Amino acid sequence: MAVRYYISLPDPGRARGGDPAFSFDAHGADEFAAQLQHALRTSSLFDRWRARQEEPDEVDPGLGVIDDGATVRGQQDDLSILLVATSSIPGQVLKHRLRLLAGHAWELRDVSAAR
């Protein structure tokens, strides 16, 4: 079942994860949306992160789930950016990817069933 996640980046300049190897490097709503969409559609971000863990084989493979049909739209809203991600990826996986990409500089505003 697809879910629609409404995500806010209140200060896009601070929406960077703790490790530049995994972090957003976007500037602008469309770039943030494209980078999050890529992180949901492919295992690239997860694979790079897992490879850097002390025990990569012990990482929960469920964190690597992908949704090749995921979509993300971005919109500039004054100084913040609003992202709307539509995906079948579980919320905990989406949150893990957002923490890698944006650190703690994001807010999950709402969640609804996608139609």
PDB file of all heavy atoms in Angstrom, residues 3-20:
ATOM      1  N   VAL A   3       1.884   5.090   0.584  1.00  0.00           N
ATOM      2  CA  VAL A   3       1.632   6.101   1.602  1.00  0.00           C
ATOM      3  C   VAL A   3       2.213   7.412   1.099  1.00  0.00           C
ATOM      4  O   VAL A   3       3.241   7.431   0.422  1.00  0.00           O
ATOM      5  CB  VAL A   3       2.292   5.696   2.942  1.00  0.00           C
ATOM      6  CG1 VAL A   3       2.155   6.780   3.983  1.00  0.00           C
ATOM      7  CG2 VAL A   3       1.710   4.385   3.448  1.00  0.00           C
ATOM      8  N   ARG A   4       1.560   8.502   1.441  1.00  0.00           N
ATOM      9  CA  ARG A   4       2.059   9.827   1.090  1.00  0.00           C
ATOM     10  C   ARG A   4       2.638  10.454   2.364  1.00  0.00           C
ATOM     11  O   ARG A   4       1.955  10.575   3.369  1.00  0.00           O
ATOM     12  CB  ARG A   4       0.924  10.677   0.523  1.00  0.00           C
ATOM     13  CG  ARG A   4       1.398  11.946  -0.126  1.00  0.00           C
ATOM     14  CD  ARG A   4       0.306  12.619  -0.957  1.00  0.00           C
ATOM     15  NE  ARG A   4       0.028  11.800  -2.142  1.00  0.00           N
ATOM     16  CZ  ARG A   4      -1.164  11.307  -2.443  1.00  0.00           C
ATOM     17  NH1 ARG A   4      -2.199  11.502  -1.661  1.00  0.00           N
ATOM     18  NH2 ARG A   4      -1.328  10.594  -3.542  1.00  0.00           N
ATOM     19  N   TYR A   5       3.922  10.811   2.291  1.00  0.00           N
ATOM     20  CA  TYR A   5       4.632  11.430   3.415  1.00  0.00           C
ATOM     21  C   TYR A   5       4.852  12.900   3.093  1.00  0.00           C
ATOM     22  O   TYR A   5       5.401  13.227   2.041  1.00  0.00           O
ATOM     23  CB  TYR A   5       5.995  10.766   3.624  1.00  0.00           C
ATOM     24  CG  TYR A   5       5.939   9.297   3.944  1.00  0.00           C
ATOM     25  CD1 TYR A   5       6.078   8.337   2.950  1.00  0.00           C
ATOM     26  CD2 TYR A   5       5.767   8.857   5.258  1.00  0.00           C
ATOM     27  CE1 TYR A   5       6.050   6.988   3.240  1.00  0.00           C
ATOM     28  CE2 TYR A   5       5.738   7.502   5.558  1.00  0.00           C
ATOM     29  CZ  TYR A   5       5.876   6.577   4.545  1.00  0.00           C
ATOM     30  OH  TYR A   5       5.845   5.229   4.836  1.00  0.00           O
ATOM     31  N   TYR A   6       4.455  13.778   4.002  1.00  0.00           N
ATOM     32  CA  TYR A   6       4.639  15.215   3.843  1.00  0.00           C
ATOM     33  C   TYR A   6       5.801  15.634   4.737  1.00  0.00           C
ATOM     34  O   TYR A   6       5.711  15.546   5.962  1.00  0.00           O
ATOM     35  CB  TYR A   6       3.358  15.968   4.221  1.00  0.00           C
ATOM     36  CG  TYR A   6       2.188  15.606   3.337  1.00  0.00           C
ATOM     37  CD1 TYR A   6       1.382  14.501   3.630  1.00  0.00           C
ATOM     38  CD2 TYR A   6       1.903  16.356   2.203  1.00  0.00           C
ATOM     39  CE1 TYR A   6       0.315  14.163   2.810  1.00  0.00           C
ATOM     40  CE2 TYR A   6       0.830  16.017   1.386  1.00  0.00           C
ATOM     41  CZ  TYR A   6       0.049  14.929   1.699  1.00  0.00           C
ATOM     42  OH  TYR A   6      -1.003  14.590   0.884  1.00  0.00           O
ATOM     43  N   ILE A   7       6.878  16.078   4.111  1.00  0.00           N
ATOM     44  CA  ILE A   7       8.126  16.348   4.814  1.00  0.00           C
ATOM     45  C   ILE A   7       8.497  17.811   4.632  1.00  0.00           C
ATOM     46  O   ILE A   7       8.414  18.344   3.520  1.00  0.00           O
ATOM     47  CB  ILE A   7       9.252  15.455   4.244  1.00  0.00           C
ATOM     48  CG1 ILE A   7       8.857  13.992   4.378  1.00  0.00           C
ATOM     49  CG2 ILE A   7      10.589  15.750   4.910  1.00  0.00           C
ATOM     50  CD1 ILE A   7       9.492  13.086   3.350  1.00  0.00           C
ATOM     51  N   SER A   8       8.927  18.448   5.703  1.00  0.00           N
ATOM     52  CA  SER A   8       9.370  19.832   5.637  1.00  0.00           C
ATOM     53  C   SER A   8      10.865  19.907   5.926  1.00  0.00           C
ATOM     54  O   SER A   8      11.362  19.238   6.840  1.00  0.00           O
ATOM     55  CB  SER A   8       8.599  20.675   6.665  1.00  0.00           C
ATOM     56  OG  SER A   8       9.107  21.993   6.698  1.00  0.00           O
ATOM     57  N   LEU A   9      11.547  20.716   5.153  1.00  0.00           N
ATOM     58  CA  LEU A   9      12.943  21.071   5.426  1.00  0.00           C
ATOM     59  C   LEU A   9      12.907  22.558   5.777  1.00  0.00           C
ATOM     60  O   LEU A   9      12.977  23.417   4.892  1.00  0.00           O
ATOM     61  CB  LEU A   9      13.828  20.823   4.203  1.00  0.00           C
ATOM     62  CG  LEU A   9      13.800  19.424   3.596  1.00  0.00           C
ATOM     63  CD1 LEU A   9      14.660  19.372   2.335  1.00  0.00           C
ATOM     64  CD2 LEU A   9      14.271  18.388   4.613  1.00  0.00           C
ATOM     65  N   PRO A  10      12.759  22.896   7.081  1.00  0.00           N
ATOM     66  CA  PRO A  10      12.579  24.297   7.484  1.00  0.00           C
ATOM     67  C   PRO A  10      13.764  25.190   7.106  1.00  0.00           C
ATOM     68  O   PRO A  10      13.588  26.354   6.791  1.00  0.00           O
ATOM     69  CB  PRO A  10      12.413  24.236   8.997  1.00  0.00           C
ATOM     70  CG  PRO A  10      12.135  22.819   9.323  1.00  0.00           C
ATOM     71  CD  PRO A  10      12.676  21.986   8.211  1.00  0.00           C
ATOM     72  N   ASP A  11      14.957  24.641   7.155  1.00  0.00           N
ATOM     73  CA  ASP A  11      16.166  25.384   6.798  1.00  0.00           C
ATOM     74  C   ASP A  11      16.984  24.491   5.859  1.00  0.00           C
ATOM     75  O   ASP A  11      17.833  23.720   6.301  1.00  0.00           O
ATOM     76  CB  ASP A  11      16.963  25.726   8.053  1.00  0.00           C
ATOM     77  CG  ASP A  11      18.199  26.556   7.762  1.00  0.00           C
ATOM     78  OD1 ASP A  11      18.525  26.778   6.577  1.00  0.00           O
ATOM     79  OD2 ASP A  11      18.844  26.984   8.733  1.00  0.00           O
ATOM     80  N   PRO A  12      16.705  24.556   4.556  1.00  0.00           N
ATOM     81  CA  PRO A  12      17.353  23.646   3.607  1.00  0.00           C
ATOM     82  C   PRO A  12      18.879  23.660   3.661  1.00  0.00           C
ATOM     83  O   PRO A  12      19.514  22.641   3.420  1.00  0.00           O
ATOM     84  CB  PRO A  12      16.854  24.138   2.245  1.00  0.00           C
ATOM     85  CG  PRO A  12      15.597  24.875   2.540  1.00  0.00           C
ATOM     86  CD  PRO A  12      15.768  25.464   3.897  1.00  0.00           C
ATOM     87  N   GLY A  13      19.476  24.771   4.012  1.00  0.00           N
ATOM     88  CA  GLY A  13      20.929  24.846   4.110  1.00  0.00           C
ATOM     89  C   GLY A  13      21.498  23.966   5.199  1.00  0.00           C
ATOM     90  O   GLY A  13      22.657  23.553   5.143  1.00  0.00           O
ATOM     91  N   ARG A  14      20.677  23.660   6.208  1.00  0.00           N
ATOM     92  CA  ARG A  14      21.103  22.783   7.310  1.00  0.00           C
ATOM     93  C   ARG A  14      20.672  21.339   7.104  1.00  0.00           C
ATOM     94  O   ARG A  14      20.993  20.481   7.917  1.00  0.00           O
ATOM     95  CB  ARG A  14      20.527  23.298   8.625  1.00  0.00           C
ATOM     96  CG  ARG A  14      21.124  24.616   9.047  1.00  0.00           C
ATOM     97  CD  ARG A  14      20.599  25.035  10.373  1.00  0.00           C
ATOM     98  NE  ARG A  14      20.379  23.840  11.191  1.00  0.00           N
ATOM     99  CZ  ARG A  14      20.125  23.850  12.473  1.00  0.00           C
ATOM    100  NH1 ARG A  14      20.046  24.972  13.107  1.00  0.00           N
ATOM    101  NH2 ARG A  14      19.931  22.738  13.138  1.00  0.00           N
ATOM    102  N   ALA A  15      19.949  21.062   6.045  1.00  0.00           N
ATOM    103  CA  ALA A  15      19.440  19.706   5.779  1.00  0.00           C
ATOM    104  C   ALA A  15      20.564  18.855   5.202  1.00  0.00           C
ATOM    105  O   ALA A  15      20.589  18.514   4.024  1.00  0.00           O
ATOM    106  CB  ALA A  15      18.242  19.757   4.836  1.00  0.00           C
ATOM    107  N   ARG A  16      21.498  18.538   6.065  1.00  0.00           N
ATOM    108  CA  ARG A  16      22.661  17.741   5.699  1.00  0.00           C
ATOM    109  C   ARG A  16      22.873  16.705   6.790  1.00  0.00           C
ATOM    110  O   ARG A  16      22.832  17.026   7.981  1.00  0.00           O
ATOM    111  CB  ARG A  16      23.927  18.607   5.582  1.00  0.00           C
ATOM    112  CG  ARG A  16      23.785  19.816   4.657  1.00  0.00           C
ATOM    113  CD  ARG A  16      23.660  19.401   3.202  1.00  0.00           C
ATOM    114  NE  ARG A  16      23.669  20.539   2.294  1.00  0.00           N
ATOM    115  CZ  ARG A  16      22.637  20.901   1.560  1.00  0.00           C
ATOM    116  NH1 ARG A  16      21.496  20.246   1.616  1.00  0.00           N
ATOM    117  NH2 ARG A  16      22.726  21.924   0.731  1.00  0.00           N
ATOM    118  N   GLY A  17      23.119  15.486   6.382  1.00  0.00           N
ATOM    119  CA  GLY A  17      23.373  14.430   7.351  1.00  0.00           C
ATOM    120  C   GLY A  17      24.737  14.598   7.999  1.00  0.00           C
ATOM    121  O   GLY A  17      25.533  15.462   7.616  1.00  0.00           O
ATOM    122  N   GLY A  18      25.019  13.758   8.978  1.00  0.00           N
ATOM    123  CA  GLY A  18      26.270  13.841   9.719  1.00  0.00           C
ATOM    124  C   GLY A  18      27.486  13.421   8.925  1.00  0.00           C
ATOM    125  O   GLY A  18      28.609  13.759   9.288  1.00  0.00           O
ATOM    126  N   ASP A  19      27.301  12.696   7.850  1.00  0.00           N
ATOM    127  CA  ASP A  19      28.413  12.223   7.027  1.00  0.00           C
ATOM    128  C   ASP A  19      28.171  12.677   5.588  1.00  0.00           C
ATOM    129  O   ASP A  19      27.194  12.262   4.960  1.00  0.00           O
ATOM    130  CB  ASP A  19      28.501  10.699   7.089  1.00  0.00           C
ATOM    131  CG  ASP A  19      29.714  10.133   6.392  1.00  0.00           C
ATOM    132  OD1 ASP A  19      30.183  10.746   5.398  1.00  0.00           O
ATOM    133  OD2 ASP A  19      30.196   9.068   6.814  1.00  0.00           O
ATOM    134  N   PRO A  20      29.062  13.502   5.044  1.00  0.00           N
ATOM    135  CA  PRO A  20      28.866  13.995   3.678  1.00  0.00           C
ATOM    136  C   PRO A  20      28.734  12.894   2.628  1.00  0.00           C
ATOM    137  O   PRO A  20      28.156  13.124   1.567  1.00  0.00           O
ATOM    138  CB  PRO A  20      30.124  14.832   3.416  1.00  0.00           C
ATOM    139  CG  PRO A  20      30.657  15.180   4.756  1.00  0.00           C
ATOM    140  CD  PRO A  20      30.254  14.060   5.675  1.00  0.00           C
TER     141      PRO A  20
END
